[in-house]
Amino acid sequence: MREYILHTVHRTKSTPAPPPLAPIRRAKTDSHDEDDDVGANTLDSSSLDSCVGASSLLVVLFQSPSASYFAQLQSIPENSRLHHPPISLVNDDGPPSSVSPYFAPLVDALDKAGHTTVVVIPDRPLSWIGKAHAVGKTLTATSKCPASFSNEACTVPGCDETEDRTHRWLVVDGLPASCTQIGLFHTGFKPDDFDLVVSGPNHGRNASTVYALSSGTVGGAMEAAQCGRRAVALSFGSKEVQPDEVIRAACGRAVGLIEDLARDWHHDVEVYSVNIPMVADIADRPVRLTTTAHGRWVTGGLFSPAPADPEKLATSRTYQFRWAPQLADIKRQAEESPEGEDLWASLNGVISIAPLRASFTAVDVHK
């Protein structure tokens, strides 16, 4: 049995720091030099012996250096197409749009890599919604051809005459976690028919507990774990408009990482939260297993008082607060984040993979 050393993510001066995290690199071959290896998609198990083990959002287990974290990976030819059971896809940004620019390219990248997908997504952006469900609401799911969200014509014969869930998407007037449930239980498949659930890509990073505990993307993945499915929460770390070539490269990198994780999934992990920076050289960026930074709202929160007429306010005694996140605390925490946390990775152009459990960690108050 493996032995683990317990560390909290939010460390004090007296708390021992975790061992340094080694980059995930492609196994060395004769055709690649050292510089070309950095950031390649294939995970090299020798670099993972001192890396992070399974974690919840607040507590992470670090494996002792004497134990091997992952089994040795098998080499897969670059030109081989992997054929897995279908992947259930959800997101929290809704159908392709200016605020959901990464979803269709990811579906395309998965298809080109030989994967079958079943898509169930909300009908509108629903960020910051977590793993919520709308209790008592009857949900409506509309079958949509993916081409209806683009300027291209559908090339699938008989698309309008069938309900092939591996082609036509279900667009639901519900929340991301509800989409996960519908995808697993109501698309003509059984939950264990799916290889895994991929939630995302989120339009923006989900690094630190401030974002991860609120994220509909992470929530969709956590719901999958509650249904007994392996899940990857995927976030692309930019809300700025990105060139098509950067989006394609990020999606290609994401597919490679998803394949690597699925091929050698650690038995203690329920969800991997993956944050990919949107940079021009994303294909060459290093990958690190990280902890989830322990974020806090300190000097400001998510809301500010809305302007109001003092006289009306005095008589009505009703108050309004507008959505206005005060991000100074989060920016400061990112700048102070130590190496090995996902916030640190996001500021340094490093792809982060945080291994998580879909659970709240109990605290023994009797110690």
Side-chain angles (χ1 to χ4, degrees):
M1 180 179 294
R2 290 184 174 90
E3 294 181 358
Y4 294 92
I5 303 171
L6 186 64
H7 293 278
T8 58
V9 173
H10 185 61
R11 295 188 295 274
T12 64
K13 291 182 179 179
S14 61
T15 306
L21 303 179
I24 298 174
R25 305 160 71 90
R26 185 184 298 275
K28 193 71 173 175
T29 65
D30 293 337
S31 60
H32 293 81
D33 59 27
E34 183 70 15
D35 291 337
D36 289 338
D37 289 341
V38 176
N41 280 339
T42 303
L43 306 183
D44 176 8
S45 63
S46 65
S47 69
L48 297 174
D49 289 345
S50 62
C51 290
V52 181
S55 73
S56 71
L57 286 173
L58 299 181
V59 177
V60 60
L61 295 173
F62 290 92
Q63 189 167 11
S64 60
S66 60
S68 175
Y69 181 70
F70 283 124
Q72 183 66 40
L73 294 175
Q74 299 296 318
S75 176
I76 293 183
E78 294 285 345
N79 60 354
S80 67
R81 289 170 64 85
L82 302 179
H83 296 279
H84 295 293
I87 294 173
S88 176
L89 279 181
V90 301
N91 74 359
D92 76 350
D93 291 319
S97 69
S98 61
V99 295
S100 183
Y102 305 137
F103 186 74
L106 178 70
V107 176
D108 184 58
L110 286 165
D111 177 68
K112 289 179 178 178
H115 295 279
T116 300
T117 57
V118 176
V119 172
V120 183
I121 55 176
D123 61 359
R124 60 194 183 282
L126 289 167
S127 295
W128 292 86
I129 206 71
K131 202 181 79 64
H133 295 281
V135 177
K137 179 181 179 180
T138 298
L139 301 181
T140 300
T142 303
S143 176
K144 292 277 192 178
C145 173
S148 66
F149 298 105
S150 70
N151 295 323
E152 300 178 1
C154 179
T155 59
V156 176
C159 170
D160 292 334
E161 302 170 2
T162 66
E163 283 299 329
D164 180 3
R165 287 280 79 81
T166 63
H167 168 60
R168 295 182 67 89
W169 300 355
L170 283 183
V171 181
V172 184
D173 63 345
L175 308 179
S178 302
C179 291
T180 297
Q181 285 265 344
I182 291 172
L184 292 176
F185 291 100
H186 302 289
T187 54
F189 296 90
K190 300 187 296 294
D192 56 6
D193 289 334
F194 292 98
D195 190 26
L196 76 162
V197 174
V198 174
S199 184
N202 192 69
H203 189 207
R205 72 184 182 190
N206 274 311
S208 89
T209 54
V210 162
Y211 290 109
L213 286 170
S214 302
S215 167
T217 297
V218 177
M222 290 291 177
E223 187 69 27
Q226 293 292 290
C227 297
R229 295 294 87 199
R230 307 183 302 174
V232 174
L234 179 64
S235 302
F236 286 179
S238 176
K239 289 187 176 293
E240 303 296 327
V241 176
Q242 297 295 318
D244 290 344
E245 58 270 22
V246 172
I247 295 176
R248 285 193 297 268
C251 289
R253 194 74 194 275
V255 170
L257 291 170
I258 290 168
E259 290 173 345
D260 286 337
L261 292 170
R263 208 162 36 232
D264 199 57
W265 197 276
H266 191 272
H267 62 84
D268 283 334
V269 176
E270 294 178 325
V271 174
Y272 284 105
S273 179
V274 179
N275 279 277
I276 295 181
M278 299 302 282
V279 291
D281 60 342
I282 185 57
D284 300 318
R285 290 292 172 136
V287 184
R288 298 283 291 271
L289 286 174
T290 66
T291 62
T292 302
H294 200 169
R296 283 285 187 268
W297 299 105
V298 181
T299 60
L302 290 170
F303 298 91
S304 295
D309 184 301
E311 293 183 2
K312 291 182 179 179
L313 190 62
T315 57
S316 67
R317 294 193 177 186
T318 59
Y319 307 89
Q320 290 186 316
F321 299 89
R322 60 186 178 87
W323 178 262
Q326 307 297 304
L327 299 178
D329 293 328
I330 308 304
K331 292 178 180 178
R332 176 182 54 78
Q333 290 161 16
E335 293 169 355
E336 297 174 353
S337 177
E339 183 173 349
E341 289 186 346
D342 55 4
L343 272 181
W344 167 86
S346 70
L347 281 190
N348 287 275
V350 173
I351 298 171
S352 67
I353 301 177
L356 308 174
R357 289 194 187 118
S359 63
F360 290 101
T361 302
V363 176
D364 186 354
V365 297
H366 299 293
K367 287 185 178 179

